[in-house]
Every structure is written in structure tokens, then in C-alpha cells.
Amino acid sequence: MFKRFDPDTDVSTSTVVKSSVQRGIKNEILTSHPNMEQEQLELLLPKKPPLMQYKVGPHLMLYCRPPTSEESVMSDNEPVFFQSRNGPLLPTLRLVHQYPDIQFNKITVDKGAIPFILGGANIMCPGLTNVGGEMPGDGDKPGLEKGDGVVIYAEGKEHALAVGVMTMSST
């Protein structure tokens, strides 16, 4: 059904990210996810060891960190963030599940949208504005702008469903 990712054939280049570029990535993540704290970001992207950047296909950059000591069973680097074209840096769904306390930009869809999203459908406004859906911009929370990265949760579910990019403003 899905093509398996093979680093030997799918990755065109891999480079170690310089510390100055890594600082820029951290600043971009903090700006795009204002609820995240500096300490949480240091937990995700420590200074040592440095990030690895993989160019996958013509338009995708994958940022990976080496496994930590407690994850030593994994020999490969762990993907933590990715960026498609000039879009926002998005966390991988695995990272969101691994660190559920970190506050990324979040939207919630209603229960009726779950099977369609899992089937590959785009998330439409009714799934966010119906009872059970939740979007920032209501009340005291600042709204999200077009192009902002979000983590998508489902009503009544504990774990994230997907990550994506807003194609409309929430205000």
C-alpha cells in the first residue's frame, strides 16, 4: 500500500547541521509554537550531539537526532522535525506521541471526522467548527495564521492524529 522508506535510495544528501543553523531552527520552532518553553526545546534538540539534516526527494528536509543512551537499541537517527518546501518546521507524529506534555500549536477535530482523516482526507472547516472541534482564536487564546504548523487531535482521544499546516486563518 505504502512505499517503504529506504535511506539508501530515497535520501539524496545528509549533512551535520552547524550549531548556528541549529540555533536558527530552535528559534524558528519557538516562534512558530509560542506555548513551547525553552527547556522543552532543549530536551528535544540538545546542543550535543548535533542534528543531522537529510534531503529526501526534491522538496523535503528531515531533521534527525542521534539516539540517546536509553534508546541505544535504535542504531539509526531518530526523525524529530521535517520541513516541506518553504513551509513551517513540523514535529514528527512519533515525537508528539513520545513527548505529550510539549505544547505545540493544537487543533481538535470532532468525532465524525476521524474515519475520513485516517482514510487520507483533508481536514475541512466543519470538522473544526462543529461541536467537539476546537481551534485557537476562541476567547483568550491567540489565533493561528495561514501557513502555521499544527498538531491535530481528535475529540475524546488522548494522542495526536496527525500534523499539518493551516491553509486558512483561525480568526
Side-chain angles (χ1 to χ4, degrees):
M1 181 174 183
F2 293 105
K3 180 184 167 206
R4 180 116 175 119
F5 177 74
D6 182 17
D8 296 330
T9 59
D10 294 335
V11 173
S12 58
T13 61
S14 66
T15 57
V16 176
V17 176
K18 294 181 184 176
S19 61
S20 59
V21 174
Q22 190 165 339
R23 279 193 307 273
I25 290 170
K26 287 181 180 182
N27 286 335
E28 185 177 338
I29 293 169
L30 283 175
T31 335
S32 61
H33 299 281
N35 296 332
M36 185 183 292
E37 297 173 8
Q38 182 73 34
E39 296 79 32
Q40 293 174 327
L41 189 58
E42 286 299 323
L43 175 70
L44 297 178
L45 302 174
K47 290 181 182 178
K48 300 280 181 177
L51 280 177
M52 289 291 295
Q53 177 185 25
Y54 296 97
K55 185 173 182 184
V56 182
H59 305 294
L60 183 69
M61 299 302 262
L62 186 63
Y63 296 97
C64 300
R65 65 179 179 190
T68 59
S69 59
E70 64 261 8
E71 299 168 342
S72 59
V73 290
M74 283 180 43
S75 61
D76 293 333
N77 290 333
E78 175 190 8
V80 286
F81 287 93
F82 66 96
Q83 184 175 26
S84 180
R85 297 188 185 256
N86 292 331
L89 277 164
L90 297 171
T92 61
L93 195 55
R94 182 178 187 162
L95 180 80
V96 173
H97 289 170
Q98 196 173 14
Y99 298 99
D101 296 334
I102 295 180
Q103 297 296 314
F104 294 104
N105 291 336
K106 170 183 168 179
I107 60 173
T108 305
V109 296
D110 66 346
K111 286 183 180 180
I114 297 171
F116 298 104
I117 295 168
L118 292 177
N122 291 331
I123 297 172
M124 306 292 178
C125 286
L128 297 169
T129 56
N130 283 349
V131 176
E134 185 181 314
M135 237 181 344
D138 301 334
D140 60 345
K141 296 180 185 175
L144 296 170
E145 297 299 320
K146 178 179 178 177
D148 285 349
V150 292
V151 176
I152 303 157
Y153 287 84
E155 173 189 13
K157 303 296 180 190
E158 180 182 352
H159 298 290
L161 184 62
V163 294
V165 179
M166 298 285 288
T167 56
M168 291 177 62
S169 167
S170 68
T171 53

